[in-house]
Amino acid sequence: MAAAVTSRLTAAVCRQFQRVVTVSSYTQPQCATQAFSKFHSCQRRQTYDSWWFRSSTNNRALHTSCVREGLEDFFDLPENWGEQTVKSGAPWTGKQLRVKSNEDLHKLWYVLLKEKNMLLTLEQEAKRQRLPMPSPERLKKVERSMKRLDTVVTEREDSLRLLQTGQERGRPGEWRRNVFGKTFWYRFKEHPIPWYLNSRYKRRRFFEPSHVAPYTRLSLEKYLRSKIRKEKREKRNQKMLAAVFPKKTALA
Amino acid sequence: MRQISMRLTALLSMAAKAAFPHDYRYGTNRPWTIAAQRLNPPGKKRRKVFVEPIANEDWHVLRGDTVEILSGKDKGKQGKVAQVFRRRSWVILEGLNTHYRYIGRSGDYRGTYIASEAPLMLKDVTLIDPTDRKPTDIEWRYTEEGERVRVSVRTGRIIPKPVYQRRDGIIPQQWKDGPKDTSPEDTLQKTFTPSLKTLEEEVMEKMNIQEDRRPRKSYWY
């Protein structure tokens, strides 16, 4: 019954907000061929006009800006222009993204990115015209979908890395003590030269000087005291709430 | 020990989330409205309201439920829940427990006289058993399939989750996909096959990208 409920819910509610993703081989996108043909026609046009314009004064080759395709992806579909509200479906959930292959996720990321660019252009234009943006929730939905996609991909990467190497983190690091005596997780950076040749790195002190050593113990004591105080405060609160709101066993 | 350096993303997300002081008093108005700002001006110190601590999963009154009022002006009446405030254990019913006020006054015009609902405490309302339409007590129990449902103690009838219209006016059964929406079948279709390749390796294979360059030796410290 739970499965039926969830499937009914997903079938009813699961309307997503990007183009249909089908598993297909990577083919040449259509826009490239269109641009190619248009470019050729422009070149032909250029050769017709060139003898007229190519005089001693105008030696610069005539440039007719012909490659104007591709910018329509920065704008919504023409039937949505001027609308106050645009209908949009639900964002992708992590559960739905986890059943998709890496190739599908890769394609989906770029579809979502293009949609986000379109919405950001729309937002900026609306600000420029001092008008409300139509359906700003679309931007939030796209951002959430992209965040969840990123989460799914990092999950897969983490699991593969754990399996193959046993490393928990993708980026190396270690616990170090800084000049103020505080221990922190230092994340490594990539350098072209080793550390003993890096004069700027050698100037950084990852140890506490001797005059700072007594303060580490004091700050530790302060931290422990505040932790114990917080726990005691919580316990006191719970006791007081239990006294004010007694647990009713026999409810009418 | 505590980390000192925070990641930029964590910092940004913290700034994006709304932060309330620990003694913030939650009212019926949304926190970004002027009325809520009037209720919590900076520097005010009001007596703290104590709310019975109920865990999120133990909450039994949901939006759209039909409940009966046990005490107050409209005692004995049944109504639909319009809003639930968990922070203060409040429930607002449609059209019940109302007081009257003027709204939108300006200059000489005294405004429209409307009925506005006052919130009711959770302990003053009970859910209604669908069989005999009488107030009853509720328990959370598990069905044989493992689903957690509300069960009335008196009759043992399961009280279904209420169907409430979404705030954006969308009815899932009547939804028609737009040109940019993916159909449910395509969304639920499983294309993932687990493999020991990273996303980059798989995509490079599919796109026939040959990477023959070797990365230059770099040092991590």
Side-chain angles (χ1 to χ4, degrees), chain A residues 76-105:
Chain A
D76 212 350
L77 301 169
E79 53 257 19
N80 291 336
W81 289 358
E83 302 279 327
Q84 287 307 311
T85 47
V86 177
K87 224 172 54 139
S88 57
W92 284 88
T93 61
K95 205 168 150 184
Q96 290 154 8
L97 290 167
R98 266 175 259 262
V99 293
K100 296 293 172 197
S101 65
N102 283 332
E103 187 198 340
D104 281 346
L105 290 179

Side-chain angles (χ1 to χ4, degrees), chain A residues 1 10-20 23 26 76-77 87-89 92 96 98-104 106 115 118 153 156-157 160 163-164 172 178 182-183 185-195 198 201 223 240-241 245 251, chain B residues 1-5 7 48 50-53 123 126 136-137 143 145 147 166 168 170 172-173 175-193 195-203 206-207 216-221:
Chain A
M1 192 216 164
T10 38
V13 169
C14 196
R15 269 72 175 179
Q16 308 315 316
F17 182 54
Q18 51 282 310
R19 306 204 159 87
V20 170
V23 179
Y26 278 92
D76 212 350
L77 301 169
K87 224 172 54 139
S88 57
W92 284 88
Q96 290 154 8
R98 266 175 259 262
V99 293
K100 296 293 172 197
S101 65
N102 283 332
E103 187 198 340
D104 281 346
H106 183 71
E115 188 64 31
M118 184 275 282
V153 169
R156 286 187 189 174
E157 271 179 13
L160 192 68
L163 193 68
Q164 292 185 326
N178 71 357
K182 296 274 185 289
T183 315
W185 179 257
Y186 173 73
R187 283 159 81 233
F188 287 175
K189 272 168 73 177
E190 202 172 9
H191 303 266
I193 48 172
W195 69 270
N198 195 341
Y201 179 79
Y223 169 70
M240 184 262 295
L241 281 174
F245 300 107
L251 291 154
Chain B
M1 286 286 246
R2 301 185 302 266
Q3 274 187 20
I4 315 178
S5 59
R7 301 255 207 107
K48 188 179 160 175
F50 291 106
V51 161
E52 186 179 352
K123 58 177 170 45
T126 40
T136 162
D137 215 8
T143 55
E145 286 89 13
E147 204 189 336
R166 286 160 61 114
D168 43 19
I170 296 173
Q173 283 79 23
W175 176 263
K176 289 270 177 329
D177 278 339
K180 293 189 178 173
D181 295 334
T182 321
S183 63
E185 299 82 37
D186 284 325
T187 321
L188 297 171
Q189 185 192 14
K190 181 174 168 191
T191 51
F192 175 59
T193 43
S195 71
L196 287 174
K197 285 192 189 294
T198 58
L199 185 137
E200 288 86 11
E201 285 169 6
E202 270 194 33
V203 163
K206 290 268 160 46
M207 291 178 85
R216 182 196 279 260
K217 180 155 174 60
S218 63
Y219 301 85
W220 283 87
Y221 52 84

Side-chain angles (χ1 to χ4, degrees), chain B residues 83-168:
Chain B
Q83 260 187 306
V84 160
F85 295 82
R86 288 204 187 184
R87 288 227 185 231
R88 293 200 61 171
S89 300
W90 274 347
V91 152
I92 293 193
L93 309 187
E94 280 171 10
L96 290 179
N97 199 26
T98 53
H99 53 270
Y100 299 89
R101 63 187 174 110
Y102 287 99
I103 195 170
R105 57 167 290 211
S106 59
D108 281 338
Y109 176 50
R110 60 178 172 214
T112 349
Y113 194 61
I114 59 148
S116 63
E117 301 93 355
L120 286 154
M121 289 297 295
L122 190 67
K123 58 177 170 45
D124 297 333
V125 298
T126 40
L127 285 166
I128 288 177
D129 202 324
T131 44
D132 52 359
R133 245 97 61 89
K134 291 269 164 33
T136 162
D137 215 8
I138 298 295
E139 251 185 22
W140 281 99
R141 288 196 205 146
Y142 290 90
T143 55
E144 269 149 27
E145 286 89 13
E147 204 189 336
R148 193 157 180 261
V149 283
R150 300 178 291 181
V151 165
S152 103
V153 169
R154 199 178 58 224
T155 43
R157 163 79 156 86
I158 294 174
I159 292 164
K161 225 168 156 174
V163 138
Y164 197 78
Q165 216 194 31
R166 286 160 61 114
R167 232 184 290 258
D168 43 19

